[in-house]
Amino acid sequence: MKSWLLGVGLLLTNLAFGQTIQDGLHMMDRHQPSRAKQVFEGLVAAQPTGENYFYLGYYFLNQRDWDNARKAFEAGKAADPKNYLNQVGLASILVGQNKVNDAKVEFDRILAETKNKNIDVMYRIAEAYSMYYILGKEDSFNANNNDPAEAIRLIDLIQDRMMKDKKLPTAEHYIVKGDAYLIKNDGGNAVTAYENAIAQEPRNIKAKVKIGTVYLRGKNYKETQVRYKEAIDLDSNYAPALRKYGEYLIVGSQYKNASRYFRRYLEKAEATPQVTLETAKLLFLSKDYDGAMKFTDEADKKGVQDNDIYRMRGYSNVEMGNFQQGIDNLDGMVKRGVKPYFMDDLYFGKGYQGLGKDSLALLYLERAAPLDTNNNVYSIIHDVRYKQKRYADAAAAGMNAIQWKVKKSQTVGSGDYFKVAMDYYLTSAFINKADTIARPAMAMRADSMFAKAIEINDKWPPFYINRARANNLIDYTGTKWLGAPYYEKFLAAVETQRAEKGQYKEDKNQLFEAYKFLGGYHLSVTKDEAKVKELFTKAQEIKPDDVDIKAYFNPTPAGAPVAPKK
C-alpha cells in the first residue's frame, strides 16, 4: 500500500511538473479558466513556492474572486517572504476594488524596497494599473481602478533598465503599455506599443487582436478586419479573436455571420456559466434570438448567478414577437428587486407596443430614450406617435431622432428628414384654414425638411409631390401657385424612375393631381394653351369623369343655362 501511495504521489508530481506557469497563462488567455486553475493548483500542490502561489492568486484576480486571491497571496507571502510578487498581488486586489490610491501606497513601498530593480515586480504593478479597466463599461465601473500614466512610466523604466543590459522588453510588457495608452484614448501610441510586441514576437495573436480593437474603436473598419483576420489566420482556435471578430461584424450589421463567430467562440472557449450567458448576450446583439434564448437557458441550467438571465429572456421574447412572455419575464425581474436599467424600459416599451398598448409603451420609451446610447429610441417613439396621429409630437420625436444620430456621428438619411417633413405637413393640414398664420408657418417648416431630404436624394418622387402640397398650404389664398415647380420636378422624377427602372411604384392619383394642378397653372398664369391641353389630356386619361377637366374640354356655350349644383 505504501509503495502504491508513493507511486501515485510521484505520478501526480510528474504530471504537475509536466505543466508550467506558461501553460496556465496560455489557457487563461484563451478563455479556458477551469483548465488554467487546474494547472496552477497542480503546481502549488507539487511545489508550494511563493511564485506558484502568486500565479494561483493571479488566476483568482482575473476572476475577480478577491477572497481566494487574498488567501493564495497570503500563503505565497508566508512560503517565501522575500518574493515581493505576492505583496504586489495583495495590493492589486485594492485596484480591482476601485481603491487605486490605496494600492499605490503599497506599490510605491514595494518599488522602494526593491529599488526599482525587480523587473517582474515592476511589470506586475504596471499591469495591475491597467488590467481592470474595461472599454465601454460605465464610468462608475472604471472609476479608481486604473492609473495608465503610472503603468506607462513603469514600462518605460523596465525598457531603460533592460536596454542597459542590451535586452528589449518582452511582448507582454509592450501589451501592458498599449493597454495603458488605450485607457488614455491614445490609439496611435497604443498601436505602436502593440506593434512593438509583434516585433518581439511575430506570432503574438493577442497583440494583433488588440490592434484590431483600437481600429474598431477609431471606426477604421478596414484595418479592424485586416488585424482580426490576421489573428484568426494564425490560429483559428483562438477564442478571443473569434469573439472580437463577431463584435466587428455586428458593427457592420452582418448579423448572421456574427452569430456564426459567436457560436464558434463558445466551442473554443470554456463554456462556463458566465461565458455561456455572455455568448447569449452577443447572439442577442447579432439578432440570433433563438440562439440567445438557447444559451440563456443553458447558462441558467449551469447555475449562473446573474440577473441578466431575466433580461435576456425578456428581451429575446419581445424580439421574437412573444410580447406577453417578454413582459412577464421583465415583470418578474422587477419584482425580485433587480436594479433597473434603461434597456429594461426600452423592452417594456417595445413589448407593450407589440400588444397594441401604445400609451403604456410611450411611458417606458420616453423614459429610456435620453439614456440609451445604443438604440435610437426616439425613432420608435416617432412611429408610435405617428400611428396615434399625434403629428406634432411625432415631429418632435423625429427631430430628436435626427439629433441622436448627429451626436453618434451616424449618417442622417433623406428618410429621416422626410418623416419629420410629413409630420409638419400633416400638422399644418389639420390646423383650421382660418388660421392664416399658424397653418402656413407649420407648412413652411415642412417645406424646409422636404428640402433637406431632396438635398440627399433628388431622385425620389414622393419628396417633390409632398413638398408641392406643403407649398399649397403656404399659399393659403391659392393665388401664388407655389406648388407648381415641385409638381414639375415630381413628374420629372417619375420619368427618371421609369427610365432607370427604379423601386418607385407609380400612383395614378398622384400623377393626376400633378397634371391637373399644372394644367390649371398654365391656364391661369402662362396662358400656354398647348401646354394646358397636353396636361389636361394626360389627366383625363387617368380620370375621364373629373368635372373640371370635362368642363375645360366641353365648355358650356355662352348664354346656355347652367345645371344647378347638387
Side-chain angles (χ1 to χ4, degrees), residues 506-545:
E506 291 184 18
D507 185 324
K508 295 294 184 183
N509 290 322
Q510 290 182 354
L511 289 169
F512 173 81
E513 178 185 336
Y515 292 140
K516 183 177 178 179
F517 184 94
L518 289 171
Y521 166 72
H522 287 291
L523 183 65
S524 301
V525 180
T526 68
K527 312 296 184 180
D528 185 340
E529 283 294 331
K531 195 70 176 174
V532 174
K533 188 175 181 179
E534 175 194 344
L535 289 162
F536 277 169
T537 298
K538 289 180 178 179
Q540 193 174 48
E541 287 172 358
I542 298 171
K543 291 187 178 182
D545 296 328

Side-chain angles (χ1 to χ4, degrees), residues 270-291:
E270 182 185 337
T272 63
Q274 195 60 45
V275 166
T276 303
L277 181 60
E278 287 297 322
T279 305
K281 294 176 185 177
L282 292 168
L283 289 170
F284 174 82
L285 291 174
S286 63
K287 300 185 185 297
D288 181 353
Y289 304 121
D290 288 329

Side-chain angles (χ1 to χ4, degrees), residues 65-76:
D65 183 347
W66 314 127
D67 290 339
N68 280 316
R70 185 175 288 104
K71 289 176 186 176
F73 293 138
E74 291 286 7

Side-chain angles (χ1 to χ4, degrees), residues 201-419:
E201 192 179 303
R203 295 183 64 82
N204 193 299
I205 305 173
K206 182 195 290 188
K208 288 183 180 293
V209 171
K210 284 181 177 288
I211 292 172
T213 301
V214 176
Y215 284 123
L216 181 61
R217 194 179 186 194
K219 298 182 180 180
N220 185 338
Y221 301 123
K222 183 178 179 181
E223 280 297 325
T224 300
Q225 183 181 31
V226 168
R227 301 308 177 125
Y228 285 158
K229 288 293 284 181
E230 281 181 356
I232 293 170
D233 289 344
L234 274 176
D235 187 346
S236 61
N237 295 321
Y238 187 64
L242 298 173
R243 174 171 172 164
K244 286 293 183 183
Y245 193 60
E247 292 173 4
Y248 154 75
L249 291 169
I250 285 178
V251 174
S253 300
Q254 299 180 53
Y255 299 117
K256 189 173 182 179
N257 207 15
S259 170
R260 187 165 64 88
Y261 274 91
F262 291 139
R263 287 172 180 265
R264 281 181 61 192
Y265 164 73
L266 197 60
E267 291 172 5
K268 304 304 177 184
E270 182 185 337
T272 63
Q274 195 60 45
V275 166
T276 303
L277 181 60
E278 287 297 322
T279 305
K281 294 176 185 177
L282 292 168
L283 289 170
F284 174 82
L285 291 174
S286 63
K287 300 185 185 297
D288 181 353
Y289 304 121
D290 288 329
M293 285 290 287
K294 174 188 174 184
F295 289 112
T296 296
D297 289 342
E298 284 189 16
D300 194 16
K301 289 174 185 175
K302 291 175 181 178
V304 70
Q305 299 298 313
D306 196 313
N307 293 325
D308 283 344
I309 284 283
Y310 308 110
R311 285 197 170 96
M312 289 305 302
R313 285 177 174 152
Y315 296 179
S316 297
N317 271 312
V318 167
E319 291 291 358
M320 290 191 292
N322 305 321
F323 302 116
Q324 191 60 57
Q325 284 177 260
I327 289 171
D328 289 344
N329 275 287
L330 294 172
D331 273 333
M333 178 185 71
V334 172
K335 288 172 183 175
R336 286 175 174 83
V338 174
K339 185 179 178 182
Y341 180 54
F342 67 84
M343 288 282 286
D344 302 340
D345 286 330
L346 169 62
Y347 277 94
F348 267 121
K350 292 176 78 170
Y352 283 119
Q353 183 188 9
L355 293 173
K357 299 179 180 180
D358 291 341
S359 295
L360 198 51
L362 283 170
L363 179 70
Y364 287 99
L365 293 171
E366 288 174 347
R367 203 158 62 190
L371 302 174
D372 197 332
T373 58
N374 299 314
N375 303 284
N376 195 341
V377 183
Y378 291 110
S379 65
I380 304 174
I381 293 172
H382 170 276
D383 294 346
V384 176
R385 287 176 172 172
Y386 189 88
K387 178 186 171 187
Q388 293 177 322
K389 298 184 178 180
R390 294 167 55 186
Y391 300 121
D393 290 337
M399 289 302 295
N400 282 332
I402 289 172
Q403 288 303 312
W404 188 92
K405 282 191 166 186
V406 171
K407 288 178 182 176
K408 293 283 289 182
S409 299
Q410 293 184 6
T411 301
V412 180
S414 59
D416 296 310
Y417 289 117
F418 182 61
K419 277 185 178 182

